[in-house]
């Protein structure tokens, strides 16, 4: 029954059904408690999974509680059974995720503390960690180095994560679901590198990273509903590169592609769609004959925020917030 529940969870997770996924994980927790007595590594990882369902809707405080519960269970399991390969690999996920969620809650001190723990885990137990877990830590650490303004180190750890994830992908012994997950991680790692290059205004490097990702995994573009979230993200990145080059007509096309990928998925509080409406509006405002169309997209963005996301204006970039308030008054 647990195997069946995990298959259903994988489907919901893949297609963006966050609330449904959470309910399936709760069912899995009920089953895990029957299989393993007391606090187990498996139980800790299911709470870790619940944390990531909250992330889909930006419920960062709930995500933090789930990750803290996951860490608490892991520590009890270690105290009972000692450190082993299973607990160390689980710690790789949990420490890195705890750091990330503290960062999402603007608690930079605690984020730094857990990033350091993840880094020490990697340094002290590298031989015990699987490639997947090592890659997860490396990918997570890039956020830590971005906070420290050490962008060259951030790029370095992302390249290490990418190397490990490609090794996993090309290992030739993966199931269809594992292949999709490996590809998803690879594309997101490319995306993380692009965003750093954009921050540094290194447009040639950003363009090269995008083209590498696009050409090396060209087959994914011929499958409309395959890796939707990853494709949405990398196409949005390409649009951001084109914005810097002021190629606004092409920018509009890329953001529209990203929006189409997003619409295949099921989300309720869809802040990413609203963000794409913003981006499309801002690109069209630079084309004189399309200014009215730009305003229509801006209104759509406002409606998504007002009707579904309600008070979460903190996710709007500061330079947009004042404009949104004025737009609200005009629409009223």
């Amino acid at each position: 029954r647990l195997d069946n529940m995990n298959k259903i969870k994988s489907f919901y997770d893949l297609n963006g059904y966050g609330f449904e996924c959470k309910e399936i994980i709760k069912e899995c927790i009920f089953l895990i408690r029957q299989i393993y007595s007391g606090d187990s590594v498996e139980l800790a990882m299911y709470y870790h999974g619940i944390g990531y369902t909250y992330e889909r809707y930006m419920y960062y405080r709930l995500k933090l509680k789930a990750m803290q519960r996951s860490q608490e269970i892991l520590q009890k399991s270690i105290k009972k059974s000692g450190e082993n390969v299973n607990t160390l690999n689980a710690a790789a996920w949990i420490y890195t995720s705890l750091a990330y969620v503290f960062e999402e809650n603007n608690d930079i001190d605690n984020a730094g503390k857990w990033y350091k723990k993840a880094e020490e885990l990697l340094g002290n137990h590298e031989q015990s960690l699987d490639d997947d877990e090592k890659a997860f830590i490396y990918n997570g650490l890039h956020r830590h180095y971005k906070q420290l303004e050490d962008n060259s180190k951030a790029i370095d750890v992302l390249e290490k994560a990418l190397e490990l994830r490609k090794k996993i992908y090309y290992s030739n012994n993966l199931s269809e679901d594992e292949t999709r997950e490996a590809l998803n991680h690879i594309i997101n790692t490319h995306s993380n590198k692009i965003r750093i290059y954009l921050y540094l205004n290194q447009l040639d490097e950003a363009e090269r990273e995008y083209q590498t990702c696009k050409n090396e995994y060209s087959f994914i573009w011929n499958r409309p509903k395959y890796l939707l979230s990853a494709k949405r993200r990398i196409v949005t990145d390409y649009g951001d590169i084109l914005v810097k080059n002021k190629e606004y007509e092409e920018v509009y096309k890329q953001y529209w592609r990203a929006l189409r990928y997003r619409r295949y998925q099921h989300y309720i509080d869809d802040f990413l769609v609203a963000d794409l409406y913003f981006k499309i509006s801002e690109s069209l405002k630079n084309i004189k004959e399309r200014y009215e169309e730009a305003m229509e997209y801006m209104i759509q963005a406002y409606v998504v925020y007002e009707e579904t996301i309600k008070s979460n204006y903190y996710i709007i970039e500061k330079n947009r917030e004042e404009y949104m308030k004025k737009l609200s008054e005009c629409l009223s």
Side-chain angles (χ1 to χ4, degrees):
R1 179 163 171 75
L2 183 62
D3 287 342
N4 289 337
M5 289 295 100
N6 279 321
K7 288 175 184 175
I8 297 169
K9 177 176 74 72
S10 177
F11 170 82
Y12 280 140
D13 188 49
L14 181 67
N15 291 283
Y17 290 85
F19 289 125
E20 293 84 349
C21 190
K22 177 171 67 69
E23 292 306 310
I24 293 295
I25 294 176
K26 286 164 67 177
E27 178 70 16
C28 290
I29 286 173
F30 172 75
L31 294 169
I32 279 289
R33 290 187 185 280
Q34 296 180 54
I35 298 169
Y36 303 96
S37 61
D39 296 305
S40 64
V41 174
E42 291 78 10
L43 183 62
M45 288 307 296
Y46 276 107
Y47 273 99
H48 178 271
I50 281 183
Y52 273 102
T53 67
Y54 288 133
E55 184 181 36
R56 292 187 181 279
Y57 303 104
M58 302 186 77
Y59 299 160
Y60 293 143
R61 290 180 184 176
L62 290 175
K63 180 182 175 184
L64 177 58
K65 288 181 179 180
M67 293 302 179
Q68 288 175 319
R69 178 69 178 130
S70 176
Q71 160 65 4
E72 179 187 315
I73 294 168
L74 176 66
Q75 290 311 308
K76 288 180 179 178
S77 176
I78 292 173
K79 189 174 181 180
K80 181 173 68 175
S81 308
E83 284 188 344
N84 54 53
V85 171
N86 287 339
T87 58
L88 290 170
N89 278 288
W93 293 101
I94 293 167
Y95 291 178
T96 309
S97 297
L98 256 176
Y100 185 29
V101 72
F102 273 120
E103 190 176 325
E104 289 171 322
N105 283 279
N106 296 314
D107 187 343
I108 303 304
D109 290 341
N110 269 316
K113 169 188 164 184
W114 285 101
Y115 279 130
K116 197 70 179 172
K117 280 182 175 287
E119 194 171 33
E120 289 170 357
L121 178 71
L122 186 59
N124 296 334
H125 299 284
E126 185 175 3
Q127 298 304 315
S128 298
L129 298 176
D130 294 338
D131 287 341
D132 201 17
E133 279 71 17
K134 286 186 283 193
F136 188 73
I137 293 177
Y138 279 129
N139 184 72
L141 285 173
H142 95 274
R143 301 185 190 96
H144 180 48
Y145 293 122
K146 276 173 67 179
Q147 282 284 343
L148 298 174
E149 290 290 325
D150 190 348
N151 290 295
S152 62
K153 186 70 173 176
I155 290 290
D156 182 53
V157 291
L158 284 172
E159 286 175 349
K160 289 179 180 178
L162 196 55
E163 182 182 342
L164 286 165
R165 284 171 168 174
K166 285 184 176 181
K167 178 184 172 184
I168 293 167
Y169 174 65
Y170 289 113
S171 63
N172 294 322
N173 60 349
L174 302 181
S175 67
E176 175 63 23
D177 285 345
E178 289 169 335
T179 298
R180 183 167 45 223
E181 184 177 358
L183 270 173
N184 185 67
H185 284 315
I186 286 169
I187 293 169
N188 284 341
T189 308
H190 279 295
S191 175
N192 287 332
K193 288 180 71 179
I194 289 170
R195 293 178 186 193
I196 295 173
Y197 288 135
L198 282 171
Y199 174 75
L200 297 172
N201 213 32
Q202 296 177 2
L203 301 187
D204 289 343
E205 293 293 336
E207 171 85 22
R208 190 175 299 116
E209 197 69 34
Y210 169 75
Q211 294 297 341
T212 297
C213 180
K214 180 183 175 185
N215 295 332
E216 192 162 348
Y217 311 103
S218 56
F219 71 93
I220 69 171
W221 306 101
N222 300 322
R223 301 174 66 177
K225 294 189 178 182
Y226 189 69
L227 289 174
L228 290 170
S229 181
K231 285 193 289 193
R232 185 272 312 160
R233 178 169 170 169
I234 200 75
V235 167
T236 303
D237 291 337
Y238 186 46
D240 293 345
I241 294 168
L242 295 171
V243 166
K244 296 270 190 178
N245 291 323
K246 299 183 178 179
E247 300 175 40
Y248 296 116
E249 286 284 4
E250 189 60 32
V251 167
Y252 168 74
K253 291 177 185 177
Q254 296 305 320
Y255 287 154
W256 182 252
R257 283 176 67 201
L259 189 61
R260 188 175 70 242
Y261 289 133
R262 187 65 178 185
R263 282 175 172 169
Y264 278 122
Q265 296 187 283
H266 170 82
Y267 289 86
I268 298 173
D269 296 347
D270 210 332
F271 54 93
L272 286 176
V273 164
D275 188 61
L276 282 165
Y277 285 149
F278 268 126
K279 287 175 178 287
I280 290 171
S281 174
E282 289 170 347
S283 64
L284 292 178
K285 278 197 299 185
N286 293 282
I287 305 169
K288 187 176 180 181
E289 60 271 20
R290 304 190 72 173
Y291 189 82
E292 190 172 320
E293 192 178 350
M295 180 55 71
E296 290 174 2
Y297 276 105
M298 184 59 75
I299 291 170
Q300 287 187 61
Y302 169 78
V303 168
V304 173
Y305 279 113
E306 186 64 21
E307 296 301 322
T308 65
I309 303 178
K310 305 293 184 187
S311 61
N312 288 357
Y313 280 97
Y314 68 90
I315 69 175
I316 304 174
E317 293 177 15
K318 289 297 181 186
N319 62 334
R320 293 172 174 168
E321 193 170 356
E322 194 61 37
Y323 187 85
M324 286 287 281
K325 288 177 180 175
K326 288 179 181 177
L327 182 59
S328 172
E329 292 167 8
C330 291
L331 291 175
S332 296

